[in-house]
mmCIF file of all heavy atoms in Angstrom:
data_model
loop_
_atom_site.group_PDB
_atom_site.id
_atom_site.type_symbol
_atom_site.label_atom_id
_atom_site.label_comp_id
_atom_site.label_asym_id
_atom_site.label_seq_id
_atom_site.Cartn_x
_atom_site.Cartn_y
_atom_site.Cartn_z
ATOM 1 N N GLU M 152 21.371 20.256 51.053
ATOM 2 C CA GLU M 152 20.051 20.784 50.693
ATOM 3 C C GLU M 152 19.495 20.190 49.447
ATOM 4 O O GLU M 152 18.329 19.858 49.344
ATOM 5 C CB GLU M 152 20.177 22.338 50.576
ATOM 6 C CG GLU M 152 20.483 23.052 51.869
ATOM 7 C CD GLU M 152 20.691 24.530 51.669
ATOM 8 O OE1 GLU M 152 20.617 24.983 50.478
ATOM 9 O OE2 GLU M 152 20.872 25.297 52.664
ATOM 10 N N ASP M 153 20.349 19.963 48.467
ATOM 11 C CA ASP M 153 19.903 19.348 47.218
ATOM 12 C C ASP M 153 19.444 17.902 47.421
ATOM 13 O O ASP M 153 18.364 17.442 46.884
ATOM 14 C CB ASP M 153 21.013 19.365 46.164
ATOM 15 C CG ASP M 153 21.341 20.783 45.685
ATOM 16 O OD1 ASP M 153 20.470 21.676 45.926
ATOM 17 O OD2 ASP M 153 22.439 21.049 45.148
ATOM 18 N N ALA M 154 20.198 17.191 48.275
ATOM 19 C CA ALA M 154 19.814 15.801 48.584
ATOM 20 C C ALA M 154 18.506 15.749 49.354
ATOM 21 O O ALA M 154 17.630 14.893 49.091
ATOM 22 C CB ALA M 154 20.910 15.079 49.358
ATOM 23 N N ARG M 155 18.320 16.690 50.312
ATOM 24 C CA ARG M 155 17.057 16.757 51.055
ATOM 25 C C ARG M 155 15.918 17.074 50.139
ATOM 26 O O ARG M 155 14.791 16.501 50.260
ATOM 27 C CB ARG M 155 17.191 17.765 52.153
ATOM 28 C CG ARG M 155 16.061 17.745 53.205
ATOM 29 C CD ARG M 155 16.247 18.741 54.311
ATOM 30 N NE ARG M 155 17.518 18.570 54.963
ATOM 31 C CZ ARG M 155 18.563 19.435 54.909
ATOM 32 N NH1 ARG M 155 18.416 20.480 54.144
ATOM 33 N NH2 ARG M 155 19.650 19.217 55.517
ATOM 34 N N ALA M 156 16.125 18.069 49.253
ATOM 35 C CA ALA M 156 15.017 18.392 48.322
ATOM 36 C C ALA M 156 14.697 17.262 47.379
ATOM 37 O O ALA M 156 13.483 17.026 47.105
ATOM 38 C CB ALA M 156 15.444 19.678 47.508
ATOM 39 N N ALA M 157 15.693 16.544 46.872
ATOM 40 C CA ALA M 157 15.410 15.417 46.023
ATOM 41 C C ALA M 157 14.672 14.243 46.845
ATOM 42 O O ALA M 157 13.758 13.624 46.236
ATOM 43 C CB ALA M 157 16.718 14.836 45.493
ATOM 44 N N LEU M 158 15.030 14.081 48.059
ATOM 45 C CA LEU M 158 14.322 13.073 48.863
ATOM 46 C C LEU M 158 12.845 13.497 49.109
ATOM 47 O O LEU M 158 11.936 12.618 48.997
ATOM 48 C CB LEU M 158 15.029 12.893 50.181
ATOM 49 C CG LEU M 158 14.457 11.835 51.152
ATOM 50 C CD1 LEU M 158 14.465 10.483 50.487
ATOM 51 C CD2 LEU M 158 15.246 11.805 52.443
ATOM 52 N N GLU M 159 12.637 14.761 49.377
ATOM 53 C CA GLU M 159 11.220 15.220 49.606
ATOM 54 C C GLU M 159 10.433 15.105 48.327
ATOM 55 O O GLU M 159 9.214 14.739 48.327
ATOM 56 C CB GLU M 159 11.221 16.684 50.097
ATOM 57 C CG GLU M 159 11.787 16.802 51.499
ATOM 58 C CD GLU M 159 11.858 18.311 51.914
ATOM 59 O OE1 GLU M 159 11.517 19.122 51.038
ATOM 60 O OE2 GLU M 159 12.257 18.557 53.091
ATOM 61 N N ALA M 160 11.041 15.418 47.148
ATOM 62 C CA ALA M 160 10.298 15.319 45.900
ATOM 63 C C ALA M 160 9.978 13.851 45.582
ATOM 64 O O ALA M 160 8.936 13.514 45.113
ATOM 65 C CB ALA M 160 11.181 15.889 44.771
ATOM 66 N N MET M 161 10.931 12.915 45.924
ATOM 67 C CA MET M 161 10.665 11.492 45.734
ATOM 68 C C MET M 161 9.473 11.005 46.612
ATOM 69 O O MET M 161 8.614 10.245 46.179
ATOM 70 C CB MET M 161 11.905 10.687 46.017
ATOM 71 C CG MET M 161 11.826 9.206 45.663
ATOM 72 S SD MET M 161 13.352 8.370 46.102
ATOM 73 C CE MET M 161 14.488 9.292 45.086
ATOM 74 N N ARG M 162 9.488 11.471 47.879
ATOM 75 C CA ARG M 162 8.407 11.119 48.742
ATOM 76 C C ARG M 162 7.068 11.631 48.279
ATOM 77 O O ARG M 162 6.022 10.925 48.365
ATOM 78 C CB ARG M 162 8.709 11.587 50.182
ATOM 79 C CG ARG M 162 9.838 10.832 50.826
ATOM 80 C CD ARG M 162 10.146 11.458 52.206
ATOM 81 N NE ARG M 162 11.162 10.722 52.910
ATOM 82 C CZ ARG M 162 11.741 11.097 54.049
ATOM 83 N NH1 ARG M 162 11.251 12.239 54.643
ATOM 84 N NH2 ARG M 162 12.677 10.398 54.625
ATOM 85 N N ALA M 163 7.049 12.882 47.817
ATOM 86 C CA ALA M 163 5.827 13.460 47.325
ATOM 87 C C ALA M 163 5.353 12.717 46.080
ATOM 88 O O ALA M 163 4.093 12.504 45.929
ATOM 89 C CB ALA M 163 6.022 14.916 46.950
ATOM 90 N N ALA M 164 6.234 12.287 45.214
ATOM 91 C CA ALA M 164 5.800 11.493 44.026
ATOM 92 C C ALA M 164 5.227 10.190 44.443
ATOM 93 O O ALA M 164 4.253 9.706 43.856
ATOM 94 C CB ALA M 164 7.025 11.354 43.101
ATOM 95 N N GLU M 165 5.846 9.528 45.446
ATOM 96 C CA GLU M 165 5.325 8.253 45.903
ATOM 97 C C GLU M 165 3.917 8.416 46.512
ATOM 98 O O GLU M 165 3.028 7.600 46.308
ATOM 99 C CB GLU M 165 6.237 7.603 46.889
ATOM 100 C CG GLU M 165 7.610 7.138 46.351
ATOM 101 C CD GLU M 165 8.554 6.650 47.337
ATOM 102 O OE1 GLU M 165 8.195 6.714 48.596
ATOM 103 O OE2 GLU M 165 9.635 6.131 47.023
ATOM 104 N N GLU M 166 3.752 9.519 47.318
ATOM 105 C CA GLU M 166 2.399 9.710 47.879
ATOM 106 C C GLU M 166 1.353 10.051 46.789
ATOM 107 O O GLU M 166 0.228 9.612 46.869
ATOM 108 C CB GLU M 166 2.480 10.886 48.899
ATOM 109 C CG GLU M 166 3.284 10.540 50.150
ATOM 110 C CD GLU M 166 3.394 11.748 51.063
ATOM 111 O OE1 GLU M 166 2.830 12.827 50.650
ATOM 112 O OE2 GLU M 166 4.036 11.584 52.146
ATOM 113 N N ALA M 167 1.758 10.794 45.784
ATOM 114 C CA ALA M 167 0.868 11.123 44.714
ATOM 115 C C ALA M 167 0.459 9.788 43.946
ATOM 116 O O ALA M 167 -0.650 9.646 43.451
ATOM 117 C CB ALA M 167 1.447 12.092 43.746
ATOM 118 N N ALA M 168 1.408 8.856 43.790
ATOM 119 C CA ALA M 168 1.107 7.654 43.114
ATOM 120 C C ALA M 168 0.217 6.765 43.903
ATOM 121 O O ALA M 168 -0.649 5.992 43.344
ATOM 122 C CB ALA M 168 2.414 6.906 42.792
ATOM 123 N N ARG M 169 0.275 6.774 45.280
ATOM 124 C CA ARG M 169 -0.566 5.972 46.087
ATOM 125 C C ARG M 169 -1.966 6.530 46.196
ATOM 126 O O ARG M 169 -2.957 5.849 46.417
ATOM 127 C CB ARG M 169 0.016 5.830 47.526
ATOM 128 C CG ARG M 169 1.332 5.080 47.574
ATOM 129 C CD ARG M 169 1.644 4.708 49.024
ATOM 130 N NE ARG M 169 3.025 4.352 49.146
ATOM 131 C CZ ARG M 169 3.939 5.189 49.648
ATOM 132 N NH1 ARG M 169 3.635 6.369 50.022
ATOM 133 N NH2 ARG M 169 5.237 4.748 49.716
ATOM 134 N N ARG M 170 -2.112 7.821 46.075
ATOM 135 C CA ARG M 170 -3.406 8.535 46.199
ATOM 136 C C ARG M 170 -4.312 8.222 45.016
ATOM 137 O O ARG M 170 -3.886 8.252 43.866
ATOM 138 C CB ARG M 170 -3.179 10.024 46.327
ATOM 139 C CG ARG M 170 -4.465 10.795 46.708
ATOM 140 C CD ARG M 170 -4.103 12.302 46.807
ATOM 141 N NE ARG M 170 -2.991 12.485 47.638
ATOM 142 C CZ ARG M 170 -2.074 13.449 47.492
ATOM 143 N NH1 ARG M 170 -2.196 14.217 46.378
ATOM 144 N NH2 ARG M 170 -1.041 13.614 48.285
ATOM 145 N N PRO M 171 -5.623 7.782 45.246
ATOM 146 C CA PRO M 171 -6.483 7.458 44.114
ATOM 147 C C PRO M 171 -6.831 8.723 43.334
ATOM 148 O O PRO M 171 -6.905 9.793 43.909
ATOM 149 C CB PRO M 171 -7.708 6.881 44.852
ATOM 150 C CG PRO M 171 -7.671 7.416 46.236
ATOM 151 C CD PRO M 171 -6.236 7.567 46.562
ATOM 152 N N PRO M 172 -7.033 8.588 42.025
ATOM 153 C CA PRO M 172 -7.365 9.770 41.208
ATOM 154 C C PRO M 172 -8.768 10.291 41.557
ATOM 155 O O PRO M 172 -9.733 9.540 41.825
ATOM 156 C CB PRO M 172 -7.282 9.255 39.806
ATOM 157 C CG PRO M 172 -7.508 7.759 39.870
ATOM 158 C CD PRO M 172 -6.915 7.376 41.209
ATOM 159 N N THR M 173 -8.889 11.625 41.617
ATOM 160 C CA THR M 173 -10.206 12.227 41.870
ATOM 161 C C THR M 173 -11.007 12.264 40.632
ATOM 162 O O THR M 173 -10.498 12.563 39.509
ATOM 163 C CB THR M 173 -9.963 13.654 42.424
ATOM 164 O OG1 THR M 173 -9.212 14.354 41.442
ATOM 165 C CG2 THR M 173 -9.181 13.618 43.746
ATOM 166 N N PRO M 174 -12.326 11.957 40.744
ATOM 167 C CA PRO M 174 -13.164 11.924 39.532
ATOM 168 C C PRO M 174 -13.316 13.341 38.980
ATOM 169 O O PRO M 174 -13.475 14.301 39.791
ATOM 170 C CB PRO M 174 -14.478 11.336 40.026
ATOM 171 C CG PRO M 174 -14.478 11.652 41.494
ATOM 172 C CD PRO M 174 -13.040 11.525 41.917
ATOM 173 N N PRO M 175 -13.374 13.519 37.710
ATOM 174 C CA PRO M 175 -13.480 14.870 37.133
ATOM 175 C C PRO M 175 -14.911 15.363 37.283
ATOM 176 O O PRO M 175 -15.852 14.570 37.449
ATOM 177 C CB PRO M 175 -13.130 14.733 35.643
ATOM 178 C CG PRO M 175 -13.444 13.293 35.351
ATOM 179 C CD PRO M 175 -13.153 12.533 36.612
ATOM 180 N N GLU M 176 -15.127 16.664 37.189
ATOM 181 C CA GLU M 176 -16.480 17.253 37.230
ATOM 182 C C GLU M 176 -17.271 16.899 35.950
ATOM 183 O O GLU M 176 -16.698 16.846 34.894
ATOM 184 C CB GLU M 176 -16.346 18.787 37.414
ATOM 185 C CG GLU M 176 -15.736 19.239 38.744
ATOM 186 C CD GLU M 176 -16.673 18.951 39.878
ATOM 187 O OE1 GLU M 176 -17.880 18.903 39.661
ATOM 188 O OE2 GLU M 176 -16.129 18.767 40.999
ATOM 189 N N PRO M 177 -18.573 16.695 36.121
ATOM 190 C CA PRO M 177 -19.357 16.344 34.900
ATOM 191 C C PRO M 177 -19.432 17.570 33.969
ATOM 192 O O PRO M 177 -19.447 18.733 34.452
ATOM 193 C CB PRO M 177 -20.764 16.011 35.499
ATOM 194 C CG PRO M 177 -20.735 16.671 36.806
ATOM 195 C CD PRO M 177 -19.361 16.650 37.336
ATOM 196 N N THR M 178 -19.516 17.280 32.697
ATOM 197 C CA THR M 178 -19.613 18.325 31.735
ATOM 198 C C THR M 178 -21.026 18.910 31.673
ATOM 199 O O THR M 178 -21.968 18.409 32.307
ATOM 200 C CB THR M 178 -19.194 17.815 30.335
ATOM 201 O OG1 THR M 178 -20.155 16.776 29.996
ATOM 202 C CG2 THR M 178 -17.816 17.205 30.381
ATOM 203 N N ASN M 179 -21.192 19.957 30.934
ATOM 204 C CA ASN M 179 -22.513 20.593 30.756
ATOM 205 C C ASN M 179 -23.545 19.677 30.153
ATOM 206 O O ASN M 179 -24.705 19.663 30.524
ATOM 207 C CB ASN M 179 -22.442 21.916 29.980
ATOM 208 C CG ASN M 179 -21.552 22.948 30.675
ATOM 209 O OD1 ASN M 179 -21.529 22.956 31.925
ATOM 210 N ND2 ASN M 179 -20.949 23.774 29.921
ATOM 211 N N THR M 180 -23.080 18.866 29.203
ATOM 212 C CA THR M 180 -24.014 17.905 28.548
ATOM 213 C C THR M 180 -24.487 16.909 29.510
ATOM 214 O O THR M 180 -25.696 16.531 29.593
ATOM 215 C CB THR M 180 -23.299 17.216 27.415
ATOM 216 O OG1 THR M 180 -22.822 18.243 26.489
ATOM 217 C CG2 THR M 180 -24.253 16.320 26.612
ATOM 218 N N GLU M 181 -23.528 16.366 30.365
ATOM 219 C CA GLU M 181 -23.942 15.380 31.357
ATOM 220 C C GLU M 181 -24.823 15.977 32.399
ATOM 221 O O GLU M 181 -25.765 15.330 32.880
ATOM 222 C CB GLU M 181 -22.691 14.786 32.035
ATOM 223 C CG GLU M 181 -21.849 13.995 31.009
ATOM 224 C CD GLU M 181 -20.520 13.559 31.649
ATOM 225 O OE1 GLU M 181 -20.176 14.118 32.733
ATOM 226 O OE2 GLU M 181 -19.804 12.744 31.020
ATOM 227 N N ARG M 182 -24.584 17.236 32.760
ATOM 228 C CA ARG M 182 -25.447 17.894 33.764
ATOM 229 C C ARG M 182 -26.831 18.121 33.281
ATOM 230 O O ARG M 182 -27.848 17.956 33.966
ATOM 231 C CB ARG M 182 -24.833 19.207 34.189
ATOM 232 C CG ARG M 182 -23.597 19.066 35.104
ATOM 233 C CD ARG M 182 -23.000 20.403 35.352
ATOM 234 N NE ARG M 182 -21.842 20.268 36.232
ATOM 235 C CZ ARG M 182 -20.983 21.304 36.482
ATOM 236 N NH1 ARG M 182 -21.231 22.474 36.010
ATOM 237 N NH2 ARG M 182 -19.990 21.109 37.304
ATOM 238 N N SER M 183 -26.951 18.453 31.963
ATOM 239 C CA SER M 183 -28.269 18.672 31.337
ATOM 240 C C SER M 183 -29.071 17.407 31.221
ATOM 241 O O SER M 183 -30.258 17.337 31.220
ATOM 242 C CB SER M 183 -28.175 19.351 29.993
ATOM 243 O OG SER M 183 -27.431 18.492 29.112
ATOM 244 N N ALA M 184 -28.329 16.260 31.028
ATOM 245 C CA ALA M 184 -29.008 14.950 30.929
ATOM 246 C C ALA M 184 -29.560 14.497 32.330
ATOM 247 O O ALA M 184 -30.462 13.633 32.367
ATOM 248 C CB ALA M 184 -28.054 13.870 30.415
ATOM 249 N N LEU M 185 -29.060 15.079 33.377
ATOM 250 C CA LEU M 185 -29.566 14.689 34.678
ATOM 251 C C LEU M 185 -30.643 15.658 35.132
ATOM 252 O O LEU M 185 -30.681 16.802 34.682
ATOM 253 C CB LEU M 185 -28.396 14.745 35.733
ATOM 254 C CG LEU M 185 -27.217 13.722 35.491
ATOM 255 C CD1 LEU M 185 -26.115 14.043 36.463
ATOM 256 C CD2 LEU M 185 -27.697 12.304 35.620
ATOM 257 N N SER M 186 -31.544 15.183 35.943
ATOM 258 C CA SER M 186 -32.530 16.104 36.510
ATOM 259 C C SER M 186 -31.929 16.992 37.528
ATOM 260 O O SER M 186 -30.874 16.709 38.061
ATOM 261 C CB SER M 186 -33.669 15.212 37.118
ATOM 262 O OG SER M 186 -33.130 14.449 38.169
ATOM 263 N N PRO M 187 -32.592 18.081 37.871
ATOM 264 C CA PRO M 187 -31.994 19.023 38.861
ATOM 265 C C PRO M 187 -31.803 18.357 40.205
ATOM 266 O O PRO M 187 -30.878 18.726 40.924
ATOM 267 C CB PRO M 187 -33.047 20.089 38.910
ATOM 268 C CG PRO M 187 -33.800 20.059 37.641
ATOM 269 C CD PRO M 187 -33.813 18.595 37.237
ATOM 270 N N THR M 188 -32.613 17.361 40.508
ATOM 271 C CA THR M 188 -32.433 16.754 41.897
ATOM 272 C C THR M 188 -31.455 15.563 41.834
ATOM 273 O O THR M 188 -31.091 15.099 42.906
ATOM 274 C CB THR M 188 -33.772 16.267 42.368
ATOM 275 O OG1 THR M 188 -34.326 15.312 41.424
ATOM 276 C CG2 THR M 188 -34.744 17.433 42.550
ATOM 277 N N ASP M 189 -31.118 15.136 40.615
ATOM 278 C CA ASP M 189 -30.250 14.002 40.548
ATOM 279 C C ASP M 189 -28.784 14.406 40.683
ATOM 280 O O ASP M 189 -28.400 15.585 40.405
ATOM 281 C CB ASP M 189 -30.376 13.237 39.223
ATOM 282 C CG ASP M 189 -31.753 12.589 39.108
ATOM 283 O OD1 ASP M 189 -32.349 12.342 40.189
ATOM 284 O OD2 ASP M 189 -32.204 12.331 37.963
ATOM 285 N N SER M 190 -27.957 13.494 41.129
ATOM 286 C CA SER M 190 -26.503 13.720 41.224
ATOM 287 C C SER M 190 -25.834 12.779 40.298
ATOM 288 O O SER M 190 -26.381 11.786 39.927
ATOM 289 C CB SER M 190 -26.035 13.486 42.675
ATOM 290 O OG SER M 190 -26.334 12.187 43.084
#
């Protein structure tokens, strides 16, 4: 069970490394600088 758990953790870490980082949400200042219709 420990070996299986270690293998699953290793696979999850590899998948997380391959996945591109998600862009963070804009801050309030950035949102205020944009118009209401702009993204």
Side-chain angles (χ1 to χ4, degrees):
E152 293 176 356
D153 293 342
R155 191 179 302 110
L158 182 60
E159 292 177 356
M161 188 182 300
R162 289 176 179 175
E165 292 177 356
E166 293 178 359
R169 296 194 195 100
R170 190 180 307 146
T173 57
E176 293 292 333
T178 62
N179 295 331
T180 305
E181 294 172 348
R182 286 176 180 173
S183 62
L185 297 173
S186 62
T188 58
D189 291 339
S190 61

